[in-house]
Amino acid sequence: GFYPSMAEHCVKVFIDPREFPKYEQYIKDRQPIPLTTALKVVHLIGTDLLQMMGLSKIDMGLFKHFLNDQYNAIFTEFEPTQKEALELGLQSNILPLPPRKFFETRPFPKDFTVAVYSPAVNQALYNLDVMEKVAAKLPRIKFKFFGGETIGSKDNIEYVGRVKDMDEFIKDCSCLMRITVHDGLPQSVLEFLSAGRRVIFNHDMKHVNLEKRIVVDALVKAIKDESVKGLDIEASKWVRKEFSQEKFIQRIKNLAEYEPEKFWENNAQKWLLGVERIYDTKDWEEIKPYVDKLDPKSVIDIGCGEGQWSQH
């Protein structure tokens, strides 16, 4: 994540460690803060993009330039968020975060039951008032609202609070309904699909009932359509293949591989521009007389990146 509202905190992760003691002074002087030359990777999620959509054209222009220019890799979760990032001017590759765990494809509960994520914060983002109206229209279908602080029951809705055992919770549900103002690719969608559960979601992807409209009647119809369907075994197989932890780990390992030519092309010019600030030159006056006697063409300069001797 890289929330614009928390950009300063996010950037701190990438500061050159040698510059930490001067951090406050850089801020005070409104000077750019040197970032580490290590590989820098940003993984954008749905909330990042939602916040970026609210920036002014000027602020987004600055933010776009900063991310595209300073980071070695920008990732988004899947095609819908990659498209949104591109519309904001951000070039990204897709790197989905795999679910923490895959779940068994056990039979549906006797009564068709719909799970709805309902956190205690940002309830408007998750359209909880609409979700409750949908439940009221379907009195014969059970609903489990999870993720918040409320515990109890009201008509056909059970408020289960925070779920500690996701395995047991998914076993007791037939379907996940996840319709938010804006979304990325939530863990819960992948978890429910891995268990062969039906999923109603507002992003277009395989094995979900796509419903972008935040309209009670449309969501009621989607639930009715899903209630007559069984386990989606193909969805479970697909999630395990496309979102495997092994595939994710290998992508990260590939990022960390050292490619000398690419590394120098990306970093040499930056090091040259920052040489006086980054490197210790206090001894230069002492060694300058020796360097002045040397023909630069007779010197093989090893290890300092951009050839400082030839510059002097």
Side-chain angles (χ1 to χ4, degrees):
F2 206 113
Y3 293 178
S5 62
M6 297 176 60
E8 183 181 343
H9 295 287
C10 295
V11 171
K12 283 181 179 179
V13 175
F14 302 106
I15 294 174
D16 186 322
R18 293 168 294 187
E19 302 297 327
F20 273 127
K22 306 174 190 174
Y23 176 78
E24 295 298 335
Q25 192 61 44
Y26 281 126
I27 295 297
K28 182 179 178 181
D29 295 341
R30 296 181 177 274
Q31 294 295 314
I33 301 163
L35 301 185
T36 176
T37 54
L39 189 74
K40 296 178 285 296
V41 179
V42 171
H43 191 278
L44 300 176
I45 60 174
T47 312
D48 299 312
L49 296 166
L50 180 62
Q51 287 192 11
M52 290 179 199
M53 291 172 189
L55 295 177
S56 69
K57 188 175 181 179
I58 293 175
D59 286 343
M60 187 58 221
L62 293 170
F63 206 67
K64 172 185 68 175
H65 175 74
F66 175 69
L67 288 176
N68 285 335
D69 183 61
Q70 296 292 333
Y71 294 90
N72 302 93
I74 299 176
F75 289 109
T76 39
E77 298 168 293
F78 63 150
E79 285 81 0
T81 48
Q82 184 187 44
K83 182 180 177 182
E84 289 179 341
L86 186 59
E87 290 171 351
L88 291 166
L90 298 170
Q91 301 288 338
S92 70
N93 291 311
I94 293 175
L95 179 64
L97 295 176
R100 291 158 290 189
K101 180 181 177 182
F102 295 118
F103 297 94
E104 293 182 40
T105 52
R106 291 180 284 195
F108 284 171
K110 180 181 177 182
D111 298 317
F112 193 82
T113 304
V114 179
V116 177
Y117 183 54
S118 58
V121 296
N122 293 333
Q123 293 193 354
L125 182 68
Y126 295 91
N127 296 301
L128 296 188
D129 57 334
V130 176
M131 301 299 108
E132 290 178 337
K133 290 176 182 176
V134 170
K137 287 263 191 174
L138 295 165
R140 294 184 180 180
I141 289 180
K142 293 182 178 180
F143 288 80
K144 289 182 180 288
F145 282 48
F146 71 101
E149 304 297 334
T150 304
I151 297 177
S153 298
K154 179 183 177 183
D155 301 323
N156 59 330
I157 300 176
E158 181 184 359
Y159 299 92
V160 302
R162 296 180 183 274
V163 176
K164 295 182 179 179
D165 189 342
M166 203 67 183
D167 193 19
E168 283 299 309
F169 179 71
I170 292 178
K171 184 190 74 172
D172 293 336
C173 298
S174 318
C175 176
L176 171 70
M177 180 167 62
R178 171 101 178 187
I179 305 293
T180 64
V181 172
H182 181 270
D183 218 335
L185 179 59
Q187 288 273 303
S188 60
V189 169
L190 300 178
E191 290 171 339
F192 273 75
L193 287 174
S194 77
R197 267 45 189 171
R198 315 306 306 186
V199 173
I200 301 168
F201 189 37
N202 59 341
H203 270 318
D204 190 9
M205 62 181 290
K206 287 185 177 180
H207 300 287
V208 304
N209 185 326
L210 173 64
E211 183 50 72
K212 293 184 178 181
R213 296 170 295 172
I214 308 173
V215 178
V216 172
D217 289 343
L219 295 172
V220 167
K221 181 181 183 304
I223 291 173
K224 287 181 177 179
D225 290 344
E226 295 303 309
S227 68
V228 297
K229 299 176 183 177
L231 276 170
D232 192 341
I233 301 299
E234 290 305 311
S236 177
K237 293 178 181 177
W238 176 72
V239 165
R240 282 167 166 75
K241 178 183 177 183
E242 296 298 322
F243 300 89
S244 74
Q245 288 93 343
E246 291 78 14
K247 186 180 288 188
F248 177 82
I249 290 169
Q250 189 57 52
R251 287 285 299 278
I252 297 300
K253 284 184 176 179
N254 290 344
L255 276 177
E257 288 183 358
Y258 174 52
E259 299 178 38
E261 183 176 353
K262 184 177 180 181
F263 179 82
W264 290 111
E265 286 180 353
N266 287 339
N267 290 289
Q269 188 62 26
K270 294 177 184 177
W271 289 351
L272 180 61
L273 293 173
V275 62
E276 298 298 335
R277 185 178 69 230
I278 295 175
Y279 295 102
D280 186 358
T281 58
K282 67 178 184 297
D283 297 325
W284 178 246
E285 291 304 318
E286 183 179 344
I287 65 173
K288 186 176 184 299
Y290 298 96
V291 176
D292 287 342
K293 295 177 184 178
L294 290 170
D295 177 1
K297 293 181 180 180
S298 71
V299 178
I300 297 177
D301 190 0
I302 299 175
C304 71
E306 77 300 269
Q308 290 182 60
W309 267 13
S310 65
Q311 295 298 318
H312 288 287

